Amino acid sequence: MFDVAKVSKIMDKSLKKKSSSASRAQLVLPPARVRSIMKNEKVAKNIGVSAVIRTTAAVEYVISEILRGAEKIANAKNKNKKSAARIMPTHIHEAIAANADLARAFSSYTFASDEQTGNALDFILTKDAQKE
């Protein structure tokens, strides 16, 4: 006849859901795309899975820091309006300039923008705090 233990083992394997490497690592960005970019750029001869996951996590963290700062600046500029603030390229540029670590990392990068950006503190601080 058949072995019940083998049948239950096969059924358990078939019922398990396949999950992506992004969901297992709790990432939003796809590590598979980062791996293909690393392969195309010929970063190394062999690229390990953990290297791809860590690189993806680092890129995701930098992006989240930039967007968090840009959101604060956009909300500070549009605080009189009731609608949600839209993040514009100038907000991203100002967020990078306001963060010392990001400013150092992006110091050699030229942003394509027509507008001149001021100091981010001008928009965050109130008029009374600026006088002091």
Side-chain angles (χ1 to χ4, degrees):
M1 293 246 318
F2 59 91
D3 189 9
V4 177
K6 283 185 181 180
V7 172
S8 65
K9 217 182 238 188
I10 292 170
M11 291 299 288
D12 287 343
K13 284 183 182 178
S14 66
L15 292 176
K16 285 184 182 177
K17 279 187 168 182
K18 289 187 176 181
S19 61
S20 66
S21 58
S23 64
R24 283 189 303 244
Q26 298 176 349
L27 296 172
V28 176
L29 297 176
R33 184 170 291 165
V34 173
R35 183 178 188 275
S36 66
I37 291 170
M38 290 172 75
K39 281 180 72 174
N40 290 340
E41 295 294 324
K42 297 181 180 171
V43 174
K45 202 172 190 179
N46 297 323
I47 301 169
V49 176
S50 63
V52 173
I53 300 262
R54 288 178 180 153
T55 304
T56 306
V59 169
E60 192 172 303
Y61 175 74
V62 170
I63 290 171
S64 69
E65 285 295 313
I66 291 171
L67 289 177
R68 191 175 299 129
E71 182 183 21
K72 284 181 185 176
I73 292 171
N75 287 336
K77 282 186 176 181
N78 296 333
K79 65 182 175 185
N80 295 335
K81 297 180 182 177
K82 290 185 179 181
S83 63
R86 178 179 287 172
I87 296 176
M88 304 297 283
T90 54
H91 300 149
I92 294 172
H93 182 256
E94 290 172 10
I96 291 171
N99 189 328
D101 295 331
L102 292 174
R104 194 176 326 115
F106 287 94
S107 63
S108 62
Y109 183 77
T110 304
F111 291 93
S113 177
D114 296 333
E115 298 180 29
Q116 293 291 328
T117 58
N119 189 359
L121 294 176
D122 295 342
F123 301 107
I124 296 172
L125 295 177
T126 60
K127 290 182 180 180
D128 297 331
Q130 285 181 9
K131 290 178 183 177
E132 296 175 1

